[in-house]
């Protein structure tokens, strides 16, 4: 009898050893782990720091996916999910009464007292203040500093109802590669498209029930940018495979290919005359194509690679950013498509960084006129007022320095607030969160954040009705967040 027990003990220990070895081998053979660690790093970065940071981000991504799946299975509200992942480490040992809506009465979920409590929804940093009050170390560790990290804790005195969210409206996770860019259709609240690093372009409908309309396959490398025509009938996409492709959405077919000699990095249709298509490339050029024939109309050379661009509402100006952080105003003839450089705003930072976002808006409460947002890879958010009568002369109004990015992460203006004079920006982050900043609050700019992604958030976009916010991540997931109705 004793011999049998000894043999059983030895066999159980052998099984444990084998299980540990198997887990270790699975970790070492994980292709996502190697793709994360072996990414090329910037030339001026510390390789040891980059490697450690990528490893930690990968581990956090794995746990984030599990938490998101757990939340989706339970079918609870976004507030409950956020409180769950923000719980202190000694959660189980704390004597917190379980609420009636808690699954299994385990005390892991806290739900709002009403179907939608705006002050509770928006105050994402203090929604668990009752739980955190017993853990002063956690509160101290999350103290906010503008120049430190995106995940630092701001001091929120009151709620911003315009930027509270009911939760996730829908999730598109059929893509297995990084989603590099996401956009809603022109003047549309329902059509959503996103491009990925595997060359695919997916068009979706976010209205009930959410569905994938077409998957456009043709690019052989990363989709760097795309744009809808004003009728949302066609999409033009640019790619690292040196081509620009025109797609007819209803048929899911590529109807034209324009070949280049270098990577095509950004693309925009003329807002008034959709027959003009402007493309920025790695050959330091902006090329204007004729949409109907595919022929080149005009080329203009810049100082560096053109990495981001946007039109003004009249179509007479193009604003573009390059690989060294400079921003250009370019005049465009709406009849002939010819270009001419007007003004240049050069980056004052010592370490130059590519511009990942260039976005124009016709009006701002802060500037009382048209404005421009520029976001660089090193985390610098710049807000310019635009003088249209002086060929788009730019005057910087305010800026915000966030932590630098390893990926080319994008930012976007937030919808206007009728009673507020702040300037709100939404931006992705490598800690898998979506952040909302007020550029007019340099000391405590972060006003809200959304948690739910399991990988670094790359792209963000609002729909025309401004009731949906779409965010995409490194793991191929696109989340559409439903904004709360505000009075």
């Amino acid at each position: 009898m004793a011999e049998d027990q000894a043999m059983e003990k030895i066999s159980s220990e052998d099984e444990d050893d084998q299980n540990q070895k198997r887990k270790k081998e699975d970790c070492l053979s994980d292709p996502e782990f190697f793709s994360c660690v072996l990414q090329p790093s910037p030339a001026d970065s510390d390789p040891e720091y980059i490697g450690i940071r990528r490893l930690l981000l990968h581990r956090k991504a794995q746990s984030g996916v599990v938490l998101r799946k757990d939340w989706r299975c339970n079918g609870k509200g976004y507030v409950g999910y956020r409180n769950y992942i923000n719980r202190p480490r000694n959660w189980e040992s704390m004597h917190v009464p379980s609420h009636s809506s808690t699954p299994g009465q385990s005390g892991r979920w806290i739900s709002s007292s009403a179907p939608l409590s705006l002050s509770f929804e928006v105050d994402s940093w203090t929604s668990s203040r009752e739980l955190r009050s017993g853990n002063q170390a956690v509160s101290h560790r999350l103290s906010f500093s503008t120049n430190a990290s995106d995940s630092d804790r701001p001091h929120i005195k009151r709620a911003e109802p315009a930027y509270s969210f009911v939760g996730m409206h829908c999730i598109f996770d059929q893509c297995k590669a990084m989603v590099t860019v996401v956009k809603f259709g022109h003047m549309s609240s329902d059509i959503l498209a996103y491009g990925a690093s595997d060359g695919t372009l997916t068009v979706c409908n976010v209205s009930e029930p959410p569905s994938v309309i077409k998957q456009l396959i043709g690019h052989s490398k990363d989709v760097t940018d795309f744009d809808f025509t004003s009728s949302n009938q066609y999409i033009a996409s640019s790619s690292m495979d040196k081509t620009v492709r025109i797609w007819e959405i209803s048929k899911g077919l590529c109807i034209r290919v324009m070949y280049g000699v270098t990577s095509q990095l950004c693309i925009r249709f003329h807002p008034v005359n959709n027959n003009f298509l402007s493309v920025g490339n790695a050959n330091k050029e902006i090329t204007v194509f004729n949409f109907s024939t595919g022929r080149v109309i005009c080329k203009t050379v810049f100082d560096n690679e053109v990495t981001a661009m946007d039109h003004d509402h009249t179509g007479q100006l193009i604003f573009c950013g390059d690989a060294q952080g400079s921003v250009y105003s370019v005049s465009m003839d709406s009849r002939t498509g010819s270009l001419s450089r007007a003004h240049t705003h050069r980056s004052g930072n010592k370490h130059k960084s590519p511009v990942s976002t260039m976005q124009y808006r016709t009006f701002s409460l802060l500037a009382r006129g048209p404005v421009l947002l520029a976001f660089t890879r090193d985390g610098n958010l710049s807000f310019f007022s635009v003088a249209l009568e002086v060929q788009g002369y730019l005057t910087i109004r305010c800026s915000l320095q966030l932590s630098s990015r390893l990926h080319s992460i994008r930012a976007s203006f937030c919808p206007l607030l009728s009673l507020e004079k702040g300037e709100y920006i939404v931006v992705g982050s490598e800690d898998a969160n979506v952040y909302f900043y007020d550029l007019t609050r340099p000391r405590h700019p972060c006003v809200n954040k959304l948690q739910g992604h399991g990988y670094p958030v790359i792209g963000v976009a609002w729909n025309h009705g401004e009731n949906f916010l779409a965010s995409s991540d490194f793991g191929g997931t696109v989340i559409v967040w439903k904004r709360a109705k505000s009075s």
Side-chain angles (χ1 to χ4, degrees), residues 13-231:
E13 291 177 354
D14 292 339
E15 289 179 0
D16 293 339
D17 293 339
Q18 291 177 1
N19 291 334
Q20 291 179 0
K21 290 180 180 179
R22 193 178 297 110
K23 289 180 180 179
K24 188 175 181 181
E25 291 174 357
D26 291 342
C27 178
L28 294 175
S29 61
D30 184 1
E32 293 185 356
F33 171 75
F34 278 103
S35 66
C36 180
V37 174
L38 298 180
Q39 290 180 71
S41 57
D44 58 346
S45 61
D46 183 358
E48 294 183 0
Y49 168 74
I50 295 295
I52 294 172
R53 186 176 182 186
R54 285 176 179 164
L55 176 62
L56 295 175
L57 286 172
H58 176 75
R59 298 302 183 200
K60 181 171 183 178
Q62 289 178 325
S63 61
V65 171
V66 174
L67 290 172
R68 189 172 71 245
K69 289 180 178 179
D70 183 26
W71 175 54
R72 291 175 66 181
C73 292
N74 280 279
K76 294 300 174 183
Y78 175 64
V79 173
Y81 167 74
R82 189 169 56 195
N83 290 334
Y84 173 57
I85 62 178
N86 281 336
R87 69 194 189 282
R89 292 184 179 181
N90 59 342
W91 176 279
E92 300 295 343
S93 62
M94 295 178 69
H95 300 287
V96 179
S98 177
H99 289 245
S100 58
S101 60
T102 303
Q105 302 297 323
S106 63
R108 291 189 175 187
W109 298 76
I110 301 294
S111 61
S112 56
S113 57
L116 175 62
S117 175
L118 291 180
S119 61
F120 194 82
E121 280 281 3
V122 179
D123 198 355
S124 62
W125 304 90
T126 57
S127 56
S128 301
R129 64 168 62 92
E130 293 88 354
L131 302 178
R132 290 181 179 176
S133 61
N135 191 344
Q136 298 297 330
V138 174
S139 300
H140 179 71
R141 183 169 52 88
L142 294 176
S143 60
F144 183 78
S145 172
T146 304
N147 296 323
S149 170
D150 294 342
S151 60
D152 294 331
R153 178 182 180 179
H155 299 276
I156 300 178
K157 295 182 179 179
R158 58 185 177 83
E160 298 286 356
Y163 297 117
S164 62
F165 287 80
V166 177
M168 294 182 185
H169 174 69
C170 59
I171 299 176
F172 299 100
D173 54 3
Q174 74 279 1
C175 186
K176 303 304 179 185
M178 175 177 64
V179 177
T180 54
V181 56
V182 57
K183 291 182 182 179
F184 281 93
H186 180 70
M187 301 291 287
S188 172
S189 297
D190 300 326
I191 299 177
L192 173 70
Y194 54 90
S197 59
D198 60 0
T200 60
L201 191 63
T202 306
V203 184
C204 307
N205 189 342
V206 301
S207 60
E208 297 293 348
S211 60
V212 174
I213 300 174
K214 294 289 182 181
Q215 189 171 38
L216 310 177
I217 300 176
H219 286 296
S220 59
K221 292 184 179 180
D222 305 39
V223 175
T224 55
D225 200 4
F226 65 86
D227 199 18
F228 287 89
T229 56
S230 57
S231 63

